[in-house]
Amino acid sequence: MPKLVVLEQGQKKVYNLTRDVTRIGRAPDSHVPLRDPRTSRYHARIERHEDDYEIVDGGSQNGTSVNGSFIDHRTLKKGDLIEIGGVRLFFDEVDEEKLKRKKGVDKETIDLPRINDEDAEKLLRERENLRRLQRVTMAINSTLELEKLLGIIVDHAIELTEAERGFLILAEGGELAFEVARNFAKEQVAEPEFNISRTVAEKVLATGEPVLAVDALEDNRFKEIHSISAIGLRSVLCLPFASRGEVTGVLYIDNRLQRGVFSRKHLRMLEALGAQAGTAIEHARMFLALEKKQAELRKANQRIEKLNRVLKVRVEKQQVELGRIRTELDEKQSELEHRYDYGNIVGRSPAMESLFKRLDRIIPTLMPVLIEGESGTGKELVARAIHYMGARKKRKFVTENCAALPETLLESELFGYARGAFTGANQDKKGLFEQADGGSLFLDEVGEMSPQMQKKLLRVLQEKEVRPVGGKETIPVDVRIICASNRNLMPLVEAGEFREDLLYRLRVLTVELPPLRERKEDIPLLLTHFFEGHVGREEKVPERLDPGVMSALMEYDWPGNVRELENEVRRMVALCDQVVGLENLSAHIRKKDSRSETPPDDGDIRELDIQVRELEVREIGRALQATSGNKTRAAELLGISRFTLQRKLEKYSLESSDEPTDEQP
């Protein structure tokens, strides 16, 4: 069984190495306890590996040497000399030769036979100091932990110089930062900023020159420094350490009790230590910064991984949602194809039968179509039927009302615009012609176009290409044009208000929609269609009509055509309960002939605009009362847009502070 022979302070102890791991150090639970203050708590350990034993340094401050060389780990052989601080340990047996050389009793070992004992002792001390510096250098380079490194530097400086206290001060942002402050017993010095001469430290930091004082109290250099006398300093040694040619801090040691403790020899030793310390501190700082960066990168990677997981879940959900949307789009496309067939154009009158026969011939073609008819006859409905029952039903159907936009805005809507074409044009925008490429473009109220816009539209129809506003390149387009007008365009041509060549381009095929007054036999069908459209809504659909109601509806000429009839149905649903009576109809419909009836003679003839105002105020009030103040629904009853209703409310000062808040129907 191998053993460990320990020689410490003139005593000899023997420990059998029976464990797989034998701990050596100053800690109470060490298997081989040592008392030397230069020994770390868990300085080293001996590990058993089958028949071999290996000594491993435990990250000690002063290092571990085997046969005079510092090691991190080494396999031991019988007689190996292990040195820990001032303690000598032999593995398995004491090698007397190594012990004699260590004690220095054999002068031939240093090959200096002609020098006296005093000189030999001096040389041995010098060699020991060099060995100490070697040990200190190894200890400094053994760690990259900044806090531990700074402690090693101060402890070894105190040991090398036998100082009372040591301080390591770094310069940070023009201020002194006391990183380490401890005494020879490795105890912390409280309030270090009040226990040193800051003037000395700041001077060394500023000049980069060391300061050595044999007796600071008697030194003329320090007579003006009050902190020297206040602290009672005797021996002081302060030197800088630098990194990359720049002073980064100072090492300050002192002894308040003895004079002449420090000499030039100590200064040279600490300068050697400082050269190593500056580089080591810089490396430790770089390592600390690298660790922080790595920690930040790890956190960033963790955040990225977390975001990737969240993104993966979102992508999966979006894929499911996209599948659902595609299904809905397919269903809506199918619905559109059926919604705008002839079944949605209500009518069995001869005029409508003639219309259906004409559409049968027009739909298979791709020629331009002009739909003419009064307002409210369903021109857009017919245009959609032409598209969704034709060969281009899978492509887009795009609409625009030419009367709703000024010329400049209509041009940019139809042809698009390039970025920077005008104020607010921050990016390119596709026009309706591009959007409808491969499909159909429906231009309502085409007769309201300005002459300049007519010219530009004609060019597009001739060249089959568009140039965006502010753009330089033309874009080819393939669009079927379907137009509509509630005015006869030929008189406009004769009056010079509409281009004749454009008219011939637009009216290759024509469809004329009959007004409702010419097909009154379709009114019962239309009523049924509109009432069924309200099934499932909030309003309760009436069960029947009073006998006089149908007669009044049939006798009325419907200048607003089907749209006016639809709005009247909405009014009925809103105002009646289960039965629609004559009192639920608009006043002008209850009369037998609203256009031919002579107004009552009530004396003076009133101005027309006054009568219009009274009529609008009365009807708006009735609509708001019927819808409990809901402007959107009231506008639907009146057959106007909500924007138009709002303008009339402002015009006639009908707004009230207690009006209920609008809700979307």
Side-chain angles (χ1 to χ4, degrees):
M1 176 66 66
K3 58 184 178 294
L4 195 64
V5 182
V6 180
L7 303 177
E8 183 178 18
Q9 297 178 358
Q11 296 182 354
K12 178 180 178 180
K13 294 182 180 180
V14 179
Y15 298 89
N16 291 323
L17 301 176
T18 59
R19 299 177 174 84
D20 290 335
V21 178
T22 302
R23 295 192 299 272
I24 305 171
R26 288 192 299 109
D29 59 346
S30 295
H31 302 131
V32 179
L34 305 178
R35 297 189 299 275
D36 191 295
R38 290 170 291 181
T39 304
S40 300
R41 287 174 55 79
Y42 297 102
H43 197 103
R45 62 185 181 274
I46 295 177
E47 299 177 351
R48 179 170 60 188
H49 303 287
E50 296 181 353
D51 296 333
D52 293 330
Y53 288 80
E54 184 179 44
I55 185 165
V56 180
D57 185 76
S60 62
Q61 290 189 2
N62 293 319
T64 302
S65 71
V66 177
N67 299 329
S69 300
F70 284 95
I71 55 92
D72 290 325
H73 57 85
R74 177 177 292 183
T75 301
L76 294 172
K77 298 178 181 179
K78 182 180 289 188
D80 279 347
L81 172 61
I82 305 168
E83 294 179 273
I84 297 177
V87 183
R88 294 181 293 279
L89 306 91
F90 284 92
F91 178 68
D92 205 22
E93 66 178 21
V94 177
D95 187 329
E96 295 295 338
E97 291 297 323
K98 293 177 181 177
L99 186 60
K100 287 179 182 180
R101 287 198 300 270
K102 184 63 182 174
K103 290 181 178 179
V105 295
D106 188 354
K107 293 181 181 179
E108 291 181 356
T109 58
I110 59 175
D111 196 23
L112 293 172
R114 297 182 181 180
I115 64 175
N116 56 37
D117 291 343
E118 182 179 351
D119 291 337
E121 185 66 26
K122 182 178 179 181
L123 287 174
L124 289 171
R125 284 199 303 270
E126 289 291 339
R127 187 178 73 173
E128 181 62 25
N129 287 336
L130 291 175
R131 289 171 61 84
R132 283 184 178 181
L133 280 175
Q134 181 187 14
R135 187 171 66 248
V136 171
T137 300
M138 288 192 64
I140 287 175
N141 293 322
S142 67
T143 180
L144 287 172
E145 296 180 24
L146 184 61
E147 184 177 351
K148 181 179 179 181
L149 174 64
L150 299 180
I152 290 174
I153 294 170
V154 173
D155 289 341
H156 282 82
I158 294 174
E159 178 188 344
L160 289 172
T161 60
E162 298 181 357
E164 177 195 1
R165 305 180 305 174
F167 305 84
L168 197 148
I169 308 166
L170 298 181
E172 295 182 356
E175 299 292 331
L176 299 181
F178 290 81
E179 300 295 336
V180 181
R182 60 178 66 171
N183 58 23
F184 66 94
K186 299 184 179 180
E187 298 170 340
Q188 298 296 321
V189 176
E191 298 181 334
E193 61 272 19
F194 301 112
N195 280 280
I196 70 163
S197 173
R198 293 177 64 95
T199 304
V200 172
E202 290 172 349
K203 180 180 179 182
V204 172
L205 191 63
T207 63
E209 298 293 332
V211 171
L212 172 64
V214 176
D215 189 346
L217 290 175
E218 301 298 330
D219 197 320
N220 291 331
R221 294 176 298 171
F222 307 131
K223 284 186 177 181
E224 302 299 327
I225 303 176
H226 299 291
S227 59
I228 297 290
S229 57
I231 299 173
L233 288 178
R234 306 293 289 185
S235 299
V236 179
L237 176 56
C238 183
L239 74 156
F241 55 86
S243 176
R244 299 180 182 179
E246 182 180 354
V247 177
T248 56
V250 297
L251 178 62
Y252 180 106
I253 59 175
D254 65 11
N255 192 310
R256 295 172 296 179
L257 305 176
Q258 300 179 27
R259 64 183 301 276
V261 174
F262 310 126
S263 64
R264 291 284 178 182
K265 176 189 69 176
H266 295 122
L267 176 59
R268 289 195 300 273
M269 292 175 63
L270 291 188
E271 284 178 337
L273 172 63
Q276 294 288 331
T279 302
I281 291 173
E282 179 67 18
H283 289 168
R285 281 177 163 174
M286 292 172 63
F287 180 74
L288 182 61
L290 180 61
E291 280 192 325
K292 289 182 178 179
K293 287 291 184 183
Q294 289 176 339
E296 292 175 359
L297 285 174
R298 283 194 296 271
K299 290 182 179 179
N301 286 334
Q302 290 172 357
R303 289 195 298 269
I304 291 172
E305 289 177 0
K306 183 179 180 181
L307 289 174
N308 283 337
R309 289 193 298 269
V310 173
L311 183 60
K312 182 180 178 182
V313 173
R314 288 183 179 175
V315 169
E316 290 175 351
K317 289 183 177 179
Q318 287 176 353
Q319 288 176 342
V320 174
E321 182 67 14
L322 283 174
R324 184 187 64 80
I325 291 174
R326 289 192 188 100
T327 302
E328 289 184 355
L329 287 175
D330 291 341
E331 293 175 352
K332 288 182 178 179
Q333 179 66 28
S334 178
E335 179 185 343
L336 284 172
E337 293 174 9
H338 292 87
R339 181 179 176 186
Y340 294 108
D341 60 11
Y342 294 165
N344 202 45
I345 303 176
V346 180
R348 295 179 184 172
S349 62
M352 294 303 295
E353 290 295 334
S354 176
L355 171 66
F356 295 146
K357 290 180 180 179
R358 185 161 184 77
L359 290 178
D360 287 339
R361 295 179 177 275
I362 289 176
I363 288 173
T365 72
L366 296 179
M367 297 179 183
V369 180
L370 175 62
I371 305 172
E372 296 179 322
E374 298 179 4
S375 295
T377 51
K379 293 185 289 296
E380 183 173 346
L381 193 63
V382 171
R384 290 182 180 273
I386 293 173
H387 173 78
Y388 286 107
M389 293 182 68
R392 299 194 172 202
K393 60 184 178 182
K394 299 293 185 180
R395 306 304 292 269
K396 280 190 176 182
F397 177 80
V398 183
T399 69
E400 183 58 73
N401 188 327
C402 300
L405 299 176
E407 178 182 335
T408 54
L409 186 55
L410 180 60
E411 180 181 4
S412 62
E413 281 295 307
L414 291 179
F415 309 139
Y417 55 78
R419 180 180 178 183
F422 49 82
T423 303
N426 299 322
Q427 59 184 6
D428 294 347
K429 179 185 176 182
K430 288 185 177 181
L432 298 183
F433 269 93
E434 281 190 80
Q435 295 177 35
D437 188 35
S440 303
L441 175 61
F442 175 59
L443 299 177
D444 197 8
E445 303 299 344
V446 70
E448 303 299 327
M449 273 190 181
S450 67
Q452 190 65 23
M453 274 303 302
Q454 294 176 33
K455 179 180 178 181
K456 294 177 180 179
L457 177 60
L458 177 62
R459 186 187 65 80
V460 171
L461 297 179
Q462 289 174 339
E463 305 296 334
K464 295 185 179 180
E465 59 183 19
V466 296
R467 176 180 293 170
V469 177
K472 297 180 180 180
E473 302 294 331
T474 58
I475 301 169
V477 290
D478 175 21
V479 177
R480 182 178 190 178
I481 297 295
I482 305 174
C483 296
S485 175
N486 61 0
R487 304 166 64 186
N488 191 332
L489 297 182
M490 188 54 72
L492 297 180
V493 171
E494 295 172 355
E497 298 178 9
F498 199 86
R499 296 179 65 98
E500 184 176 8
D501 48 0
L502 176 59
L503 176 62
Y504 293 139
R505 285 277 182 180
L506 298 179
R507 61 178 299 177
V508 177
L509 298 173
T510 59
V511 176
E512 295 182 6
L513 298 187
L516 184 56
R517 62 181 174 273
E518 294 181 3
R519 58 183 187 104
K520 289 187 177 181
E521 58 266 44
D522 290 329
I523 290 178
L525 289 176
L526 290 168
L527 286 175
T528 302
H529 175 73
F530 293 141
F531 277 127
E532 288 177 351
H534 282 275
V535 175
R537 297 189 182 182
E538 294 181 2
E539 301 94 339
K540 185 177 180 181
V541 179
E543 296 178 356
R544 60 186 178 85
L545 307 178
D546 273 349
V549 172
M550 183 58 73
S551 298
L553 296 176
M554 295 295 289
E555 291 177 3
Y556 183 59
D557 279 345
W558 301 104
N561 293 293
V562 179
R563 183 185 297 122
E564 184 181 5
L565 176 61
E566 183 179 7
N567 290 332
E568 190 65 25
V569 170
R570 292 179 179 177
R571 184 189 191 90
M572 295 178 192
V573 173
L575 298 179
C576 71
D577 293 324
Q578 296 181 347
V579 180
V580 178
L582 283 172
E583 68 277 5
N584 300 128
L585 297 180
S586 299
H588 59 282
I589 295 178
R590 290 197 300 267
K591 302 173 183 178
K592 292 183 179 180
D593 189 349
S594 60
R595 294 177 301 171
S596 60
E597 183 174 343
T598 304
D601 185 5
D602 55 356
D604 297 334
I605 297 177
R606 293 181 298 168
E607 294 181 0
L608 184 59
D609 59 344
I610 296 177
Q611 298 183 53
V612 171
R613 172 189 176 91
E614 292 177 352
L615 176 61
E616 288 189 341
V617 169
R618 181 174 68 254
E619 294 302 313
I620 290 173
R622 292 183 63 196
L624 288 172
Q625 183 179 4
T627 59
S628 300
N630 188 304
K631 296 177 184 177
T632 301
R633 295 169 63 189
E636 290 180 356
L637 290 178
L638 294 168
I640 58 177
S641 67
R642 189 185 188 284
F643 176 75
T644 302
L645 175 59
Q646 183 64 38
R647 295 290 298 272
K648 291 183 180 297
L649 290 172
E650 295 172 357
K651 176 181 178 181
Y652 299 136
S653 301
L654 297 179
E655 292 280 11
S656 59
S657 59
D658 58 347
E659 183 180 340
T661 304
D662 273 353
E663 297 179 356
Q664 292 297 325

